[in-house]
Amino acid sequence: MMAVLWGRRAARLGRGLWPCGRPGLPAEEGTLGGLRGPRRSSSASPREQDQDRRKDWGHVELLEVLQARVRQLQAESVSEVTVNRVDVARLPEHGSGDGGCQPPTKVQTGAEGTTPVLFVHWAKKLDKDKRIREMRRQRLEKQLQRQAQNPGFTSELKRLYVEPRLLSKQLTTCLQGCVQEAPGSPWEEQLARVLQEAPRKLSLDKKQGQQLKTRLTSRQQKILAFLKCCLLTGHQSLAHHLLVTYHSKGKSQSLLTLDMYNTVMLGWARQGAFRELLYVFIMVKDAGFSPDLVSYAAALQCMGRQDPDVGTIERCLKQMSQEGLKLQEIFTAVPLCEAERAAVLKAVLKAKPTFKVPERLLSPVNTSKLLRDVYAKDGPVSYPKLHLPLKTLWDLFTQQLRVELASTVCVKSVEKPVAESKEVRHARETLKLLRLQWEKALLEALQETKDRLEREAHRGLPSMFPFLCLLDEQEMVRMLLQALQALPTQGESFMGLARDLGARTFGRHEVQRQQFSGQVEALKRHYRRYLHLLASDTEVPEPCLPRQYWEALGVSEPPQEQPWPLLVQVELGRLLAEILVQATKMPSDLGKLRDTSRLVPLLYHVYSFRNVYQIGFLKPHPAYVQLLATAAEPTLTFEAVDVPMLCPPLPWTSPHTGAFLLSPTKLMRAVDGTTHHQRLLENCAPTALHGALDTLTQLGSCARRVNWRVLDLVLELFQDKGCPKLSVPARPSEVAPPHEAPLPPSTALVRKAELRRELARCLKEAREMHSLRAEALYRLSLAAHLRDRVFWLPHNMDFRGRTYPCPPHFNHLGNDLARALLEFAQGRPLGPHGLDWLKIHVVNLTGLKKREPLQVRRAFAEEVMGDILDSADHPMTGRKWWMDSEEPWQTLACCMEIAKAVRTSDPAAYVSHLPVHQDGSCNGLQHYAALGRDSVGAASVNLEPADVPQDVYSDVAAQVEVFRRQDARRDLRVAQVLEGFVTRKVVKQTVMTVVYGVTRYGGRLQIEKRLRELSDFPQEFLWEASHYLVRHVFRSLQEMFSGSRAIQHWLTESARLISHMGSAVEWVTPLGIPIIQPYHQEIKIKGRGGLQSVSYSVNADSSLKPNKLKQRNGFPPNFIHSLDSTHMMLTALHCYREGLTFVSVHDCFWTHAADVPIMNQVCREQFVRLHSQPILQDLSSFLISRFCCGSRPQKLSQHLEDIKLRETLLAVPKPGTFDLERVKLSTFFFS
């Protein structure tokens, strides 16, 4: 908020700093690249402290946005610009507020003949925009004149087409015969004749498109989404009309695909409308397509809903058989709901009474070498159960179901509440009245928009009309008002808001679709039976994994609705954002809410710059922002998917089924618009995903609770002034404001530049503080909301197989504070060694004894036991020993746990809920050393047993120091300056990230940042010193990890050659998860019209050319990430089989203190089993079979590239001599 408060002062200072005639930047209408993460609704806002009544800062800030725009145009030598002054809404205490509009202000800019060539583009663009607006105005005026002059003019909808116009004369004759049939004649007899008609000869392009199923164009995606949406909203005739319209036009017909025809046929089949279905069948033949399984499923379903002649069904089945289609596959390969399957079966049984539907078989057991023991029936199994009884779990399920049906969750904000003054009550009442007015205005605007778009659809245009009909109008308006509440005070990018509104609409529609289709009732029945596996007071006949138990219940997976194309989501969101902007207005005088004679917009559309791109922003009126600040409403509103679940998540059973009860969730999270990840998952064998599905289910089934003792202390700091040292952000008002003193005219340019940098630094710090404060507000508010509850965090994974919790704001993947707030809901007695592990854990968190053995760490904990107990008893008033820890809040939580344990009569019987961590020692280098059997590297990263832990970061720092001393003796100046500064901390980040693909440029920036933090380092040597150090860090790693660097080079070169041949790099993890790198050349998709034109980048579609640089640099780190995720999954599955509670943060594994020895044993065993597989050889074989051509290519250049790639892939680096079995004896491998 302080960034806004400084608007006036910063702008005044900026006017004194920026030189005149500053060159402008190239403009672009919008981009998706700058989108934020998941948005959340928030009505809580910090109250403003600045009450300057002489001049409203907010009004000045808004006016200066427009003035900056004028200065920008002025700098670009545009001849003349006219800007209307902004209507300013007055607050009640500011006067009567007649709010008169100021006359236009003309700004003369530039001189004749001085327009630089650089800015001609800007002027042309402005002229073009002006011409377009003028043409639209004239067109609208002509339309209104015709309506006024013609009393008989009406806006009735155009008649919908039913009969198509065909290109085939033979089919035209057949169609005429159908149309001339008397009412009540057997339409189904015509179907047999149509089926026997040979399709028109396909053109070469259409044949290739049908065989290869190439990517749909943007227009085709929009048409298909329109047709599917029409079926969902009951506008089947409108879908048929659009299909007929496009089919009847030669050029437009080329856009239609068999999937589009099938979509309309399925719609008519559900209604039993045989004549209309026959029309579509005729169009399929006329378009040159051959009906597929979906086409015949629609015909049989329609006949099942009628009472057709048996002969017609038999002819249909015979024709289907002649085309090589199997009847059984309709029931196994075509996605049909229960009612549709029943209708198809009814028709089939009439012609074939002995036909039997293929039985739904349980998926076979995964028999891979790595998972054989996980799914083995023999041997002891101790799958854990929850600590809650069946009745409690069922009550929690009903609560979660209500939450997801409502789509949102209201949470009380933990911001310090304001006093209930008269001013506050008045502001809240004003907001309440304004929202009632906005609700009415939004309803009217929504209805008008739907009427307009319906007329467009009747003219044969695939408009957004059916998408606006998916939700009830009241529900749509509530969603828009929630988006308005969530709008940040500094504004929101237009594209960001549009994308968010489109996604929210799809999510709410999916929930409602399941509710209205009866899936909710089926879910209740199956989930109650599923809870018998998890509840503490129930038993099942045979222990099994949750996924296996759910599948054994016979749960039939309903057809899944695919997410809308990004183009559709953005266009729908843009439309809704425009409705929000146009319908929400406020009185010019907030003291006269009933007076609607003078209204001003609530949201303003302005442009800003990010780097070189021009971004459209929606900014709330400053008076509205101030009204929100005064009201200080005490609630936050979150989307249901952004909040932890109140019951155990659904087990993952397929790539699109699992996690939340109703809300759609992807198994593999990906960039918006990406589809190839999902295609790979759906096309691979079901057993290949069992390891990933069961791991995600196991991670999500771990019950959590809030550590309320830590939460209370954090809230005390948060509501006071914060404490950045302890990761509790201060209020933005605590940030020092920039220098305000006016500058004399004689100020030197160097001084102006210095002040400009200071101003930018202050504003950047304020923005960062605001962001950190908001993040902490959401996390702490959710923690307080769940304070006395048990909750669960459903998980999914990224394209490399790394797992993440789905709720973004409150989970264990955050910083030290976020982790300290979470405990296991189910405790475990410490046992004989649990207290020792708590002591070791608290010392690990302090970071004080990293190079010492475990016995020394435990002894040190006993030495400082007084400080530990003092920290637990008096955290804010005692000696505060815990505050000097590397992880202070987790240290404090562990101190409290130790204090309670040692003060019990029997510490071994104390039930502990605190997670104890075991971290990998530079885990990426551990995997590289194991792959290459690198003995030297293995010893450096603790794969080799040792009495004390090895620290690779200190080893690298020591090696770099050797090089520095040698150079210093040669009188190299930078080496002499660095004396005493080559430390572990300086090189740690670079060493850690080299294995994950950091370049020398990135490593130099990391080292420069560390050196900048040293107050006594001469800052004038930053660039030279960082450049010197990064060179020697890479040199040291090359010498210490020669085998690892050879593997990294082989992976990099392989990816370079694959991408050069035009393919994205793919591979399969040792657990069978298919992976493809989503780095492709970027293309721009633009949509024009409305409030602003929008454009967004698409770079994750596999049909695009690969981005060679990203494919090459990304393969080594992504491959290693896929290995560490495989190791984590194997550890999780085996720990679950042993009955342990297990949670992970990538290469950091958590469990109860009593179970640490078992988890350590499993962790080491699974690492050895993983790397005992021929990983690099299997990777080489897969890449050769996938990317090397079996026969000689047509072109010589392709043949040479193929030979080079094959030679490279066959040249797998030879392994060293390290014995992997030694890892099992290494105490500090994970510690």
Side-chain angles (χ1 to χ4, degrees):
M1 184 63 71
M2 284 300 295
V4 179
L5 289 172
W6 293 341
R8 174 180 47 176
R9 293 175 287 185
R12 184 168 67 245
L13 179 61
R15 283 195 292 272
L17 297 178
W18 288 111
C20 295
R22 180 165 56 97
L25 298 172
E28 187 161 319
E29 299 289 349
T31 180
L32 199 60
L35 293 187
R36 300 185 296 115
R39 295 177 72 252
R40 60 263 133 207
S41 301
S42 168
S43 56
S45 177
R47 193 175 180 183
E48 297 299 336
Q49 302 298 320
D50 186 354
Q51 298 294 332
D52 183 2
R53 300 303 185 188
R54 292 171 299 175
K55 192 173 184 183
D56 189 332
W57 57 265
H59 302 164
V60 175
E61 191 261 353
L62 184 59
L63 288 172
E64 286 178 347
V65 169
L66 299 180
Q67 290 170 0
R69 172 73 163 159
V70 173
R71 291 196 301 274
Q72 176 196 34
L73 297 177
Q74 183 178 7
E76 294 169 350
S77 302
V78 179
S79 60
E80 183 175 297
V81 181
T82 301
V83 179
N84 290 324
R85 293 182 63 88
V86 175
D87 288 324
V88 176
R90 299 174 180 268
L91 294 176
E93 62 270 25
H94 287 181
S96 60
D98 55 8
C101 182
Q102 298 292 332
T105 302
K106 291 189 177 182
V107 182
Q108 300 292 338
T109 64
E112 275 190 20
T114 62
T115 304
V117 177
L118 178 63
F119 309 122
V120 171
H121 170 72
W122 234 136
K124 289 182 177 179
K125 183 165 184 165
L126 287 175
D127 291 341
K128 181 179 179 181
D129 290 344
K130 185 176 179 181
R131 288 197 305 271
I132 292 175
R133 287 195 300 270
E134 182 64 22
M135 290 171 58
R136 289 177 179 169
R137 185 185 64 78
Q138 293 176 359
R139 190 162 57 245
L140 181 60
E141 287 180 352
K142 290 180 180 179
Q143 183 178 351
L144 293 175
Q145 288 176 1
R146 285 199 309 270
Q147 185 173 354
Q149 294 172 1
N150 184 9
F153 177 85
T154 62
S155 58
E156 291 182 359
L157 299 178
K158 186 177 179 181
R159 183 180 68 85
L160 298 179
Y161 294 134
V162 178
E163 298 87 9
R165 189 178 67 184
L166 306 178
L167 300 179
S168 168
K169 294 182 179 179
Q170 192 174 3
L171 288 172
T172 302
T173 304
C174 182
L175 175 65
Q176 291 173 351
C178 295
V179 174
Q180 294 171 2
E181 288 281 354
S185 62
W187 288 95
E188 59 271 12
E189 293 181 2
Q190 303 291 338
L191 178 62
R193 286 184 288 174
V194 174
L195 289 175
Q196 294 174 0
E197 294 286 346
R200 290 191 303 110
K201 184 177 180 181
L202 293 173
S203 65
L204 180 61
D205 292 340
K206 187 168 288 188
K207 282 183 179 179
Q208 293 175 344
Q210 190 175 19
Q211 293 171 359
L212 302 178
K213 296 183 179 179
T214 54
R215 168 180 164 268
L216 297 180
T217 65
S218 298
R219 286 186 66 187
Q220 288 175 314
Q221 290 179 0
K222 187 175 179 181
I223 293 170
L224 182 58
F226 176 89
L227 297 175
K228 291 182 176 181
C229 192
C230 282
L231 269 59
L232 294 170
T233 56
H235 296 90
Q236 175 66 38
S237 299
L238 193 59
H240 186 91
H241 169 74
L242 183 81
L243 190 72
V244 170
T245 302
Y246 272 79
H247 183 88
S248 301
K249 299 177 181 177
K251 292 183 179 180
S252 300
Q253 188 187 114
S254 61
L255 296 172
L256 300 180
T257 64
L258 182 59
D259 199 13
M260 298 176 189
Y261 291 102
N262 285 340
T263 298
V264 178
M265 273 196 287
L266 283 172
W268 288 128
R270 291 166 190 158
Q271 298 181 15
F274 211 102
R275 183 182 67 168
E276 288 79 3
L277 181 138
L278 181 58
Y279 286 160
V280 181
F281 245 110
I282 293 175
M283 286 189 283
V284 168
K285 290 286 186 174
D286 186 61
F289 293 110
S290 295
D292 61 1
L293 282 172
V294 179
S295 310
Y296 283 103
L300 291 171
Q301 181 190 162
C302 191
M303 287 188 280
R305 296 180 187 275
Q306 302 281 334
D307 190 16
D309 179 68
V310 176
T312 303
I313 302 175
E314 290 176 345
R315 288 193 293 271
C316 180
L317 295 177
K318 180 180 178 181
Q319 184 67 28
M320 179 179 170
S321 177
Q322 290 176 354
E323 293 183 7
L325 303 175
K326 297 181 180 179
L327 178 60
Q328 290 83 357
E329 292 182 356
I330 288 182
F331 297 92
T332 58
V334 179
L336 299 172
C337 67
E338 289 298 327
E340 293 170 342
R341 286 168 60 91
V344 174
L345 182 59
K346 179 182 176 182
V348 173
L349 290 177
K350 195 167 184 178
K352 293 186 174 183
T354 59
F355 177 80
K356 291 184 178 180
V357 177
E359 294 184 4
R360 184 176 179 271
L361 301 176
L362 292 177
S363 57
V365 177
N366 189 304
T367 57
S368 67
K369 295 180 181 179
L370 291 175
L371 293 174
R372 192 173 297 158
D373 293 343
V374 173
Y375 299 114
K377 295 295 183 181
D378 53 343
V381 176
S382 303
Y383 295 133
K385 294 176 75 71
L386 295 174
H387 62 295
L388 301 173
L390 179 63
K391 184 179 184 306
T392 302
L393 289 174
W394 178 250
D395 291 340
L396 292 175
F397 165 76
T398 56
Q399 294 175 33
Q400 177 65 25
L401 189 60
R402 284 198 297 269
V403 166
E404 294 194 38
L405 287 173
S407 297
T408 57
V409 181
C410 289
V411 174
K412 185 178 180 181
S413 172
V414 296
E415 281 283 11
K416 188 175 182 179
V418 298
E420 283 282 338
S421 64
K422 180 180 178 181
E423 184 183 16
V424 171
R425 288 193 297 271
H426 178 71
R428 291 178 179 176
E429 186 63 27
T430 301
L431 275 175
K432 183 179 179 181
L433 293 175
L434 285 174
R435 285 167 182 158
L436 290 175
Q437 295 175 10
W438 295 335
E439 182 178 356
K440 181 179 178 182
L442 285 169
L443 275 173
E444 294 176 355
L446 185 60
Q447 291 166 355
E448 292 175 1
T449 304
K450 287 171 67 174
D451 292 341
R452 174 175 59 82
L453 295 177
E454 186 178 12
R455 288 194 291 271
E456 290 183 7
H458 278 250
R459 293 200 300 270
L461 301 175
S463 69
M464 289 291 106
F465 169 68
F467 297 93
L468 290 180
C469 299
L470 283 171
L471 300 180
D472 177 75
E473 291 179 352
Q474 290 287 349
E475 174 68 19
M476 191 79 79
V477 168
R478 280 195 296 271
M479 184 182 70
L480 291 176
L481 290 175
Q482 289 167 6
L484 180 61
Q485 279 185 282
L487 201 67
T489 55
Q490 68 271 22
E492 169 84 34
S493 75
F494 185 82
M495 270 296 303
L497 181 62
R499 172 66 185 86
D500 182 71
L501 288 174
R504 286 192 185 191
T505 304
F506 176 77
R508 281 165 166 76
H509 154 66
E510 268 294 283
V511 172
Q512 290 190 5
R513 182 183 66 84
Q514 296 177 70
Q515 184 180 9
F516 296 147
S517 64
Q519 294 180 35
V520 173
E521 293 302 318
L523 174 65
K524 289 180 181 179
R525 294 192 302 271
H526 292 116
Y527 194 88
R528 190 175 188 91
R529 296 170 61 191
Y530 172 64
L531 288 178
H532 285 76
L533 177 72
L534 305 177
S536 60
D537 58 346
T538 56
E539 296 292 337
V540 293
E542 182 181 355
C544 60
L545 293 167
R547 175 190 55 82
Q548 295 172 329
Y549 190 80
W550 183 268
E551 291 175 345
L553 293 177
V555 182
S556 60
E557 191 172 302
Q560 297 294 319
E561 183 177 351
Q562 294 297 324
W564 299 333
L566 184 59
L567 170 71
V568 173
Q569 285 199 32
V570 170
E571 186 169 345
L572 175 62
R574 177 182 65 80
L575 192 65
L576 293 173
E578 290 173 358
I579 292 175
L580 185 64
V581 172
Q582 295 165 5
T584 53
K585 299 183 183 297
M586 59 191 298
S588 57
D589 185 355
L590 289 178
K592 301 177 181 179
L593 294 179
R594 305 295 181 184
D595 182 13
T596 59
S597 59
R598 190 75 184 121
L599 297 177
V600 295
L602 179 70
L603 300 175
Y604 287 88
H605 182 253
V606 296
Y607 285 93
S608 182
F609 285 93
R610 286 182 183 171
N611 297 326
V612 296
Y613 296 116
Q614 184 186 15
I615 308 296
F617 270 82
L618 292 181
K619 300 194 70 173
H621 201 291
Y624 170 67
V625 173
Q626 190 168 347
L627 183 65
L628 280 177
T630 305
E633 294 176 307
T635 57
L636 300 167
T637 305
F638 293 89
E639 292 290 296
V641 293
D642 293 341
V643 180
M645 293 184 67
L646 303 178
C647 71
L650 293 180
W652 281 103
T653 57
S654 72
H656 38 66
T657 305
F660 291 96
L661 303 180
L662 301 175
S663 305
T665 310
K666 291 182 179 179
L667 174 67
M668 186 172 282
R669 53 177 66 188
V671 180
D672 291 324
T674 305
T675 57
H676 50 260
H677 296 303
Q678 192 70 17
R679 287 199 301 268
L680 283 177
L681 293 174
E682 291 175 350
N683 293 335
C684 70
T687 55
L689 297 178
H690 281 177
L693 297 176
D694 291 332
T695 300
L696 294 171
T697 300
Q698 182 263 314
L699 295 175
S701 63
C702 175
R704 320 291 181 98
R705 74 178 190 184
V706 173
N707 188 334
W708 59 268
R709 297 179 299 277
V710 173
L711 175 63
D712 288 343
L713 294 172
V714 176
L715 289 179
E716 184 180 337
L717 290 175
F718 184 80
Q719 294 176 350
D720 188 18
K721 294 184 178 180
C723 182
K725 177 187 175 183
L726 297 176
S727 303
V728 181
R731 297 175 184 273
S733 57
E734 300 294 324
V735 181
H739 176 73
E740 272 197 276
L743 297 176
S746 59
T747 304
L749 291 177
V750 175
R751 176 59 179 162
K752 286 186 176 182
E754 181 182 338
L755 289 177
R756 234 184 2 253
R757 288 192 294 270
E758 176 67 14
L759 171 63
R761 185 194 64 78
C762 290
L763 292 176
K764 179 175 180 289
E765 186 177 350
R767 286 193 297 268
E768 291 175 350
M769 187 66 70
H770 176 80
S771 176
L772 291 172
R773 182 77 179 182
E775 180 185 13
L777 173 64
Y778 303 141
R779 176 179 293 126
L780 296 177
S781 297
L782 285 172
H785 176 70
L786 298 168
R787 178 190 185 98
D788 300 317
R789 313 193 68 162
V790 179
F791 55 90
W792 287 261
L793 297 172
H795 281 61
N796 62 1
M797 61 184 177
D798 66 8
F799 75 92
R800 302 163 299 187
R802 280 195 150 191
T803 60
Y804 298 84
C806 297
H809 306 303
F810 185 45
N811 58 56
H812 58 284
L813 253 64
N815 57 11
D816 165 58
L817 172 58
R819 299 183 184 191
L821 289 172
L822 289 171
E823 292 182 327
F824 293 133
Q826 189 169 358
R828 187 72 62 91
L830 285 177
H833 305 294
L835 183 58
D836 290 341
W837 279 109
L838 285 178
K839 293 176 182 178
I840 294 171
H841 182 51
V842 75
V843 176
N844 288 345
L845 291 170
T846 62
L848 296 175
K849 300 291 180 180
K850 293 182 178 179
R851 301 300 297 268
E852 302 294 340
L854 299 183
Q855 296 83 351
V856 174
R857 300 182 200 181
R858 184 173 66 248
F860 176 76
E862 292 170 353
E863 289 178 15
V864 297
M865 185 58 68
D867 291 328
I868 291 175
L869 297 178
D870 177 75
S871 297
D873 297 336
H874 311 288
M876 296 300 180
T877 58
R879 296 192 290 270
K880 303 178 183 178
W881 173 80
W882 63 277
M883 289 189 182
D884 296 325
S885 168
E886 284 187 358
E887 309 285 353
W889 289 110
Q890 293 179 82
T891 301
L892 177 60
C894 195
C895 289
M896 293 177 172
E897 196 78 357
I898 292 174
K900 288 190 292 184
V902 299
R903 287 167 177 165
T904 59
S905 58
D906 182 11
Y910 172 73
V911 178
S912 173
H913 294 260
L914 186 77
V916 174
H917 313 167
Q918 296 288 280
D919 288 329
S921 178
C922 199
N923 190 239
L925 283 173
Q926 287 180 328
H927 284 285
Y928 266 124
L931 284 172
R933 304 296 194 271
D934 186 349
S935 298
V936 176
S940 298
V941 291
N942 294 301
L943 296 186
E944 181 74 36
D947 295 331
V948 294
Q950 303 301 305
D951 183 18
V952 64
Y953 311 117
S954 299
D955 293 344
V956 172
Q959 184 64 47
V960 172
E961 176 64 13
V962 171
F963 296 143
R964 187 204 64 78
R965 289 175 183 173
Q966 294 172 356
D967 292 336
R969 285 194 292 268
R970 301 189 189 101
D971 295 327
L972 185 63
R973 177 60 176 160
V974 65
Q976 295 171 345
V977 169
L978 280 167
E979 183 174 0
F981 294 105
V982 182
T983 63
R984 178 184 188 274
K985 184 177 181 181
V986 169
V987 304
K988 177 181 177 180
Q989 186 181 12
T990 304
V991 174
M992 184 188 304
T993 53
V994 159
V995 66
Y996 295 126
V998 72
T999 61
R1000 294 202 177 196
Y1001 174 77
R1004 191 198 69 77
L1005 294 178
Q1006 293 170 344
I1007 293 176
E1008 179 183 324
K1009 185 176 181 180
R1010 298 286 82 80
L1011 292 175
R1012 193 184 299 276
E1013 295 171 353
L1014 304 176
S1015 57
D1016 53 344
F1017 183 79
Q1019 300 297 299
E1020 63 271 18
F1021 285 94
L1022 276 177
W1023 190 94
E1024 189 177 359
S1026 60
H1027 184 75
Y1028 173 85
L1029 285 179
V1030 75
R1031 185 172 71 251
H1032 285 300
V1033 167
F1034 273 71
R1035 178 183 171 187
S1036 301
L1037 287 171
Q1038 181 67 45
E1039 293 182 1
M1040 295 172 61
F1041 295 89
S1042 57
S1044 303
R1045 299 293 286 177
I1047 294 173
Q1048 190 174 24
H1049 175 74
W1050 179 72
L1051 294 172
T1052 302
E1053 182 65 12
S1054 300
R1056 185 187 70 82
L1057 294 172
I1058 291 171
S1059 60
H1060 189 70
M1061 295 177 67
S1063 299
V1065 181
E1066 300 179 34
W1067 70 97
V1068 177
T1069 72
L1071 281 187
I1073 305 172
I1075 293 176
I1076 180 172
Q1077 293 195 140
Y1079 312 131
H1080 298 83
Q1081 294 294 341
E1082 193 174 272
I1083 61 170
K1084 294 284 186 181
I1085 296 180
K1086 292 188 177 182
R1088 300 192 177 277
L1091 193 62
Q1092 76 164 57
S1093 299
V1094 295
S1095 67
Y1096 51 93
S1097 304
V1098 176
N1099 62 358
D1101 197 303
S1102 57
S1103 64
L1104 303 175
K1105 292 182 179 179
N1107 185 315
K1108 298 177 183 178
L1109 181 62
K1110 288 186 177 181
Q1111 290 285 344
R1112 183 193 69 191
N1113 293 339
F1115 185 35
N1118 289 334
F1119 181 71
I1120 294 300
H1121 278 312
S1122 71
L1123 291 183
D1124 70 45
S1125 72
T1126 300
H1127 176 225
M1128 185 279 297
M1129 290 181 177
L1130 289 170
T1131 304
L1133 292 171
H1134 282 83
C1135 284
Y1136 192 75
R1137 188 177 176 88
E1138 295 289 338
L1140 273 63
T1141 299
F1142 177 89
V1143 173
S1144 79
V1145 182
H1146 304 319
D1147 61 346
C1148 178
F1149 299 166
W1150 299 12
T1151 191
H1152 288 97
D1155 297 329
V1156 172
I1158 301 175
M1159 184 184 73
N1160 277 336
Q1161 179 185 352
V1162 171
C1163 170
R1164 286 153 177 78
E1165 289 175 351
Q1166 296 312 310
F1167 185 87
V1168 172
R1169 288 194 63 190
L1170 169 63
H1171 283 283
S1172 297
Q1173 307 299 314
I1175 295 176
L1176 294 181
Q1177 289 75 14
D1178 290 346
L1179 174 66
S1180 172
S1181 300
F1182 174 83
L1183 294 178
I1184 290 174
S1185 64
R1186 176 68 180 84
F1187 297 109
C1188 294
C1189 301
S1191 58
R1192 179 185 175 89
Q1194 294 180 353
K1195 297 182 180 179
L1196 178 61
S1197 60
Q1198 293 177 346
H1199 180 60
L1200 295 177
E1201 290 174 353
D1202 185 76
I1203 293 176
K1204 176 65 174 175
L1205 175 59
R1206 186 182 295 273
E1207 291 175 350
T1208 301
L1209 293 177
L1210 288 173
V1212 179
K1214 295 182 179 180
T1217 59
F1218 175 68
D1219 182 8
L1220 275 177
E1221 291 295 325
R1222 302 280 292 167
V1223 175
K1224 296 180 180 179
L1225 305 176
S1226 175
T1227 303
F1228 305 106
F1229 166 62
F1230 266 62
S1231 63

